[in-house]
């Protein structure tokens, strides 16, 4: 005798058949002390023989003794069905196939006692700098049913820890081995291990000192007008220059301070900049230009000589001149006469009537660069002879001895 139990909704009819028919449908049951809900477990049904479709039924007691149908899955092709999230108790499970329906009891005795926790994200290592990508984050969770799976966003990494990341907002989803906890997420915004804090990126600051100097002059110190900021760690300094503000930047040996004093005797225009370095990188300041202006062209001082006191004097001049340059005449180191502007040709300061050594200083009218002209002109004034009275004279007879003529003094 084989007992077949048929289910229609929650109505159960028991039909007892007497035949030599061998029942071809079987299934087995197992329990699982896990669930996505604390205090509940699962009943797992696996069909081992029988013809689909299958219908699965769960009762809270013997259906032939007053048990109620509390869950079902009808007409499915799946040979496995899980009744999830049920408290500890004795349940009855029915499985229907084309061959008929069987029912069997199962005891669900142990259940999950701790839900999967909201995961935490810890900073193992923060990015060194604002633009660095060397941060490491690690997620952790408790409860549920280990082992856990991880899903990071952005990136899609599925490991517990992620590395090679920079500042940003990161979300992790943690599920247990039964895929419980798809909504258990933790969002973290971090930078350098400090949440919600973004320091400034490395800034080189600014330097001042743009200036005009004359050829061979001594530039002023290039000053630190705005100190560097941002980044991580202490700052180190170096300086570079460009010859004539073009081409490659040339490192300046030994220049390691926030300010820099360019060498004297500069003969070319140069651009300078300061390099600031810390653990967050290398940045440059603004560029400062030191313009070197040419000196006036050198010409020869001409003229000079000797003249008699009271005479017209002797000329002093230059054998050439430069347009845009003013020429200053000096006598024995002191300015004298009128300033003469260059015309591109030889120029004259006119006749000078005072004895002395005459030099000429040329000053560039636009840049105040100056240069002494070659040589000098020496003027000597000879005095006139001292005047004495003529003496003598008179009359004498022809053929006589004559009369005396002389001076009452001589020089």
């Amino acid at each position: 005798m084989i007992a077949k139990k048929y289910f229609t909704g929650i109505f159960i009819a028991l039909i007892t058949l007497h035949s030599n028919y061998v029942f071809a449908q079987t299934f087995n049951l197992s329990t699982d002390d896990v669930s996505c809900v604390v205090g509940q477990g699962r009943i797992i049904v696996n069909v081992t023989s029988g013809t689909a479709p299958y219908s699965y039924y769960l009762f809270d007691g013997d259906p032939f003794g007053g048990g109620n149908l509390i869950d079902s899955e009808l007409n499915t092709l799946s040979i496995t069905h899980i009744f999830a999230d049920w408290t500890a108790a004795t349940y009855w499970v029915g499985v229907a196939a084309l061959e008929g329906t069987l029912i069997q009891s199962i005891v669900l005795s142990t259940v999950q006692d701790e839900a999967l926790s909201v995961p935490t994200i810890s900073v193992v290592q923060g990015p060194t700098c604002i633009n660095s990508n060397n941060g490491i984050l690690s997620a952790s969770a408790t409860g549920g049913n280990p082992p856990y799976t991880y899903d990071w966003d952005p990136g899609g990494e599925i490991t517990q820890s992620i590395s090679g990341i920079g500042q940003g907002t990161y979300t992790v989803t943690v599920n247990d081995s039964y895929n419980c906890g798809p909504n258990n997420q933790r969002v973290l915004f971090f930078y350098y291990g400090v949440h919600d804090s973004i320091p400034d990126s490395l800034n080189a600051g600014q330097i001042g000192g743009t200036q005009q100097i004359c050829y061979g002059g001594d530039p002023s110190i290039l000053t630190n007008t705005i100190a560097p900021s941002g980044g991580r760690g202490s700052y180190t300094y170096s300086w570079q220059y460009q010859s004539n503000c073009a081409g490659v930047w040339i490192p300046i040996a030994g220049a390691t301070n926030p300010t820099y004093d360019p060498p004297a005797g500069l003969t070319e225009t140069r651009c300078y900049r300061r390099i600031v370095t810390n653990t967050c990188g290398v940045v440059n300041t603004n560029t400062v230009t030191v313009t070197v202006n040419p000196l006036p062209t050198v010409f020869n001082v001409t003229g000079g000589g000797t003249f008699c006191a009271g005479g017209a004097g002797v000329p002093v001049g230059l054998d050439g001149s430069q347009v845009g340059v003013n020429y200053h005449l000096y006598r024995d180191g002191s300015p004298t006469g009128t300033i003469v502007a260059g015309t591109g040709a030889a120029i004259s300061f006119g006749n000078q009537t005072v004895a002395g050594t005459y030099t000429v200083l040329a000053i560039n009218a636009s840049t105040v660069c100056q240069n002494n002209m070659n040589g000098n002109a020496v003027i000597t004034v000879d005095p006139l002879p001292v005047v004495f009275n003529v003496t003598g004279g008179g009359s004498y007879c022809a053929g006589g001895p004559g009369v005396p003529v002389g001076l009452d003094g001589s020089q």
Side-chain angles (χ1 to χ4, degrees):
M1 181 182 73
I2 299 177
K4 289 189 176 181
K5 301 171 183 178
Y6 294 85
F7 303 87
T8 303
I10 61 173
F11 177 77
I12 303 172
L14 175 62
I15 301 175
T16 302
L17 300 177
H18 298 274
S19 70
N20 292 324
Y21 173 70
V22 178
F23 191 59
Q25 180 208 4
T26 59
F27 67 91
N28 60 49
L29 297 177
S30 63
T31 61
D32 196 335
D33 62 346
V34 296
S35 172
C36 293
V37 180
V38 173
Q40 297 181 356
R42 309 190 309 173
I43 299 171
I44 303 170
V45 186
N46 288 301
V47 175
T48 55
S49 65
T51 305
Y54 308 107
S55 294
Y56 300 92
Y57 305 89
L58 182 66
F59 299 89
D60 61 3
D62 185 348
F64 302 104
N68 299 304
L69 180 64
I70 55 178
D71 197 3
S72 64
E73 174 72 21
L74 305 179
N75 298 319
T76 176
L77 299 179
S78 174
I79 63 173
T80 299
H81 181 72
I82 297 176
F83 293 105
D85 304 334
W86 295 100
T87 59
T90 299
Y91 297 90
W92 292 72
V93 177
V95 177
L98 291 181
E99 290 79 4
T101 304
L102 292 180
I103 192 167
Q104 180 179 326
S105 64
I106 184 72
V107 177
L108 181 60
S109 59
T110 55
V111 294
Q112 178 175 299
D113 59 6
E114 184 180 0
L116 180 63
S117 68
V118 174
T120 60
I121 299 176
S122 58
V123 178
V124 179
Q125 174 181 299
T128 305
C129 303
I130 195 169
N131 296 319
S132 298
N133 293 299
N134 59 347
I136 302 174
L137 296 179
S138 181
S140 62
T142 60
N145 305 281
Y148 306 118
T149 60
Y150 305 88
D151 184 9
W152 290 88
D153 182 45
E157 289 89 344
I158 58 174
T159 54
Q160 183 175 2
S161 297
I162 57 174
S163 60
I165 57 175
Q167 63 168 350
T169 301
Y170 296 88
T171 301
V172 66
T173 300
V174 179
N175 289 313
D176 66 7
S177 58
Y178 292 93
N179 203 36
C180 295
N183 295 319
N184 289 341
Q185 299 180 350
R186 173 68 186 272
V187 175
L188 173 70
F189 178 84
F190 86 106
Y191 178 83
Y192 198 68
V194 180
H195 297 206
D196 302 323
S197 176
I198 306 178
D200 293 334
S201 58
L202 178 59
N203 187 306
Q206 291 187 10
I207 57 172
T210 295
Q211 53 196 285
Q212 300 268 347
I213 66 171
C214 296
Y215 184 93
D218 186 3
S220 300
I221 294 176
L222 304 180
T223 58
N224 179 32
T225 58
I226 298 179
S229 60
R232 297 287 176 185
S234 59
Y235 305 111
T236 59
Y237 304 95
S238 60
W239 290 79
Q240 297 175 332
Y241 76 89
Q242 272 184 325
S243 178
N244 294 308
C245 293
V248 299
W249 286 93
I250 302 171
I252 302 174
T256 58
N257 294 320
T259 59
Y260 174 66
D261 188 4
L266 204 58
T267 58
E268 65 176 7
T269 294
R270 286 186 177 180
C271 283
Y272 292 92
R273 68 182 183 183
R274 183 180 65 195
I275 314 301
V276 179
T277 303
N278 70 2
T279 56
C280 289
V282 180
V283 289
N284 305 323
T285 63
N286 58 304
T287 297
V288 166
T289 301
V290 176
T291 301
V292 176
N293 296 290
L295 299 176
T297 302
V298 174
F299 296 95
N300 296 312
V301 179
T302 61
T306 301
F307 69 95
C308 293
V314 293
V316 174
L318 293 174
D319 62 4
S321 69
Q322 185 177 354
V323 176
V325 173
N326 293 326
Y327 295 90
H328 301 243
L329 182 64
Y330 287 77
R331 182 181 70 247
D332 298 329
S334 298
T336 184
T338 302
I339 296 173
V340 179
T343 62
I347 59 175
S348 173
F349 294 98
N351 287 347
Q352 301 298 315
T353 60
V354 178
T357 300
Y358 289 80
T359 59
V360 178
L361 176 67
I363 300 178
N364 188 307
S366 60
T367 62
V368 199
C369 292
Q370 62 186 37
N371 210 355
N372 285 318
M373 298 296 96
N374 278 335
N376 51 58
V378 178
I379 296 177
T380 301
V381 179
D382 285 345
L384 295 177
V386 177
V387 176
F388 295 95
N389 294 313
V390 179
T391 62
S395 297
Y396 69 95
C397 293
V403 293
V405 174
L407 293 174
D408 59 4
S410 67
Q411 185 177 356

